[in-house]
Amino acid sequence: MKKEMKNFAVIAALVLATACNNKSKETEQYVTPSDTITTLEHHKHWNYEGETGPSHWGEMDQNDCGGKVQSPVDIVDTENDNTLKPIDFHYNLKTKIHDVINNGHTIQFDFESGDYIVINGDQYELKQFHFHESAEHTIKGVRYPLEIHMVHKNKDGKFAVVSIMAQEDKKSNETFEFLDKYLPKKANDTVKVSNDFNINKVLPQNRSYYTYSGSLTTPPCTEGVQWFIFKTPIEVSIKMITDLKKIMPLNNFRNVQELNGRKIKESI
């Protein structure tokens, strides 16, 4: 009897030791230093300065910011292409501004659906437009005071961004005085708007453009974005630019990226 009890105790000890060892291995499998670092990197917030600024965006987890087809770029060498057709705008004369958001990175105007552009027979819906001060793209090294990005998306989820350069205008500007009234003053603030707006008034009269394939200019820096940068800048009142500067991060632009063999085409 004593012998049987002794054998049982030995077996029980072996089973317990094996179970503890397996539990330890199971714990090691799911909690490792590398997993912790990855989680922290994945949730790391980005901004326009310091350790989470543009020069570090490529180090963050699960984004394309370190890719070879990035935006913005400096527009210097271009190729004339007479096959490029004008962008076919279908912007309503009266579009409801849904709301205006200060997301801590920029000021973003969201619109009701119904405005779109057609590019090579493909329809892209206007989702929003927002501002960068100073401009992100440069033209022959020249950086404009402001750049407006009109972000469009097609049914397959691909982006087409129309970029408008803006220069300061000392005169009053009815279009931008209207927009200036709805700027949220603090980060994470939203202003609800019920008035109509004619988005066409933001566009320059001369709509010839530069175009190239690039990316979004903020994380996740998604590539495969088709860019259309108008050659002709518009004029924006100094007050509007000053007001944007007060409520957006200082210099909320990403520096120009390498072309890496990409061609910039120019419409005639």
Side-chain angles (χ1 to χ4, degrees), residues 30-86:
Y30 289 101
V31 182
T32 65
S34 61
D35 288 338
T36 305
I37 292 170
T38 300
T39 301
L40 290 174
E41 287 292 325
H42 181 67
H43 290 94
K44 186 182 287 185
H45 190 67
W46 62 270
N47 58 33
Y48 285 100
E49 59 182 359
E51 294 182 355
T52 54
S55 61
H56 297 284
W57 290 350
E59 302 164 10
M60 297 181 182
D61 187 44
Q62 295 183 1
N63 68 41
D64 293 330
C65 297
K68 298 294 185 183
V69 191
Q70 291 288 293
S71 296
V73 298
D74 185 18
I75 299 169
V76 181
D77 296 321
T78 62
E79 296 180 357
N80 290 334
D81 189 342
N82 57 14
T83 67
L84 291 175
K85 298 179 181 179

Side-chain angles (χ1 to χ4, degrees), residues 82-98:
N82 57 14
T83 67
L84 291 175
K85 298 179 181 179
I87 300 171
D88 188 7
F89 285 91
H90 294 263
Y91 288 173
N92 295 307
L93 299 179
K94 292 184 177 181
T95 298
K96 288 285 187 186
I97 301 175
H98 187 269

Side-chain angles (χ1 to χ4, degrees), residues 154-183:
N154 71 3
K155 59 181 177 58
D156 297 320
K158 293 186 177 180
F159 289 99
V161 182
V162 175
S163 171
I164 307 169
M165 300 297 170
Q167 55 192 8
E168 296 174 344
D169 184 7
K170 294 181 179 179
K171 302 175 184 177
S172 61
N173 184 308
E174 181 181 351
T175 299
F176 288 96
E177 283 180 357
F178 175 84
L179 297 177
D180 199 11
K181 294 188 298 184
Y182 302 107
L183 300 182

Side-chain angles (χ1 to χ4, degrees), residues 147-217:
E147 183 174 351
I148 303 170
H149 289 169
M150 309 187 78
V151 182
H152 305 76
K153 200 173 186 179
N154 71 3
K155 59 181 177 58
D156 297 320
K158 293 186 177 180
F159 289 99
V161 182
V162 175
S163 171
I164 307 169
M165 300 297 170
Q167 55 192 8
E168 296 174 344
D169 184 7
K170 294 181 179 179
K171 302 175 184 177
S172 61
N173 184 308
E174 181 181 351
T175 299
F176 288 96
E177 283 180 357
F178 175 84
L179 297 177
D180 199 11
K181 294 188 298 184
Y182 302 107
L183 300 182
K185 299 297 188 288
K186 297 179 181 178
N188 300 316
D189 278 359
T190 298
V191 175
K192 297 295 182 182
V193 184
S194 60
N195 287 333
D196 296 329
F197 179 65
N198 184 356
I199 308 176
N200 296 279
K201 290 186 176 181
V202 176
L203 306 174
Q205 289 185 345
N206 182 350
R207 297 177 187 175
S208 58
Y209 58 85
Y210 306 106
T211 184
Y212 75 99
S213 180
S215 72
L216 299 179
T217 63

